[in-house]
Amino acid sequence: MISFGPVPSRRLGKSLGINNIISPKTCTYDCVYCQVGKTLKKGIKREAYFKPEVIFEKVRQHLGRLNKESQPDYLTFVSNGEPTLDINLGKSILLLKKLGFPVAVITNASLLFDESVREDLFKADWVSLKMDAADNDTWQKVNQPDPGLDFKKHLENVSHFISIYKGMLGTETMIIKGLNDSAEIFSNLAELIKTVNPYIAYLAIPIRPPSVKTAIPPDTEMMNMAWQIFNKSGIKTEFLTGFEGIETGFTGNIYEDILNTTAVHPLREDSLINLLKHDNADYEVVKSLIKQRLIQITVYNGKKFYLREYHTQF
Ligand code: SF4
């Protein structure tokens, strides 16, 4: 299937997904947390997959079947592997733009050394760069890159790309227990991501079965710490935790407000109290959510925070 959705996306609103990589899963990385399984074809050489005209036609037909309310906010390349391995990505982006929707690409950024990849991505309105590691050791452990890739050069290429790219730039960091969830790693990552200057940095955790069974979410306290460290560095940071697409804010439904907000932001105690006030609710609701193990309390820097509680099922 070339196109799917639109699916609600915290990042992009309604996002019509485009998978431009033909099976088997082909990637420059073999991330331990990958949700589409082990990389079956690892490499850094770009290839032709679907013809851009075929992608365009499939997406055009797909859009034609959607009613007015379901029209997407973005057409998003999110593939069964690394979308920039597709040598025709740029051509496809240009064709798709004729449909009148902005185009996004979610990439692991590993091919930015290739000028043709950079040129292709410059055509996209929105690009998300994967940034799980700020040092080679962590990069090897978490992303298991192709041996043809070099971490130092990778960082230089990212830096070169961002100095020219004019569209919306985000970063995405997956946090894995025991691999990249220490205070030192968070600080180094924050320092690195600050230089990228994304309009938003997303922190994610594995929420579906990962490629390697031991790739599990960090403890809630560590997620909180990551958010605090990023936030303190002046980076606008949000969690991507699988509760995408549901509006947060004061809806009058205190259960949803707390669950949706804590899914992307740890709620500080004073903010939570404020939320209760807005929704005419009292603390009993919070107690009930804690009892149901839907949220939990954590203390950071002497302040109480409320976070979603995640249960690992694998
Ligand atoms: S870069 Fe993306 S597709 Fe490739 S292995 Fe990592 S998570 Fe999977």
Side-chain angles (χ1 to χ4, degrees), residues 25 27 29-31 33-34 36 39 79 81-82 108 130:
K25 184 198 156 193
C27 195
Y29 285 177
D30 190 9
C31 304
Y33 58 78
C34 188
V36 284
T39 296
S79 313
E82 171 52 33
N108 67 18
K130 182 185 292 301

Side-chain angles (χ1 to χ4, degrees), residues 268-280:
R268 220 169 64 176
E269 189 174 29
D270 48 359
S271 309
L272 179 88
I273 302 295
N274 202 27
L275 192 57
L276 289 170
K277 217 189 289 170
H278 274 286
D279 281 342
N280 291 322

Side-chain angles (χ1 to χ4, degrees), residues 166-181:
K166 296 275 181 285
M168 296 276 278
L169 188 75
T171 60
E172 201 166 318
T173 301
M174 184 70 88
I175 308 174
I176 306 296
K177 185 171 183 165
L179 291 188
N180 64 347
D181 69 339

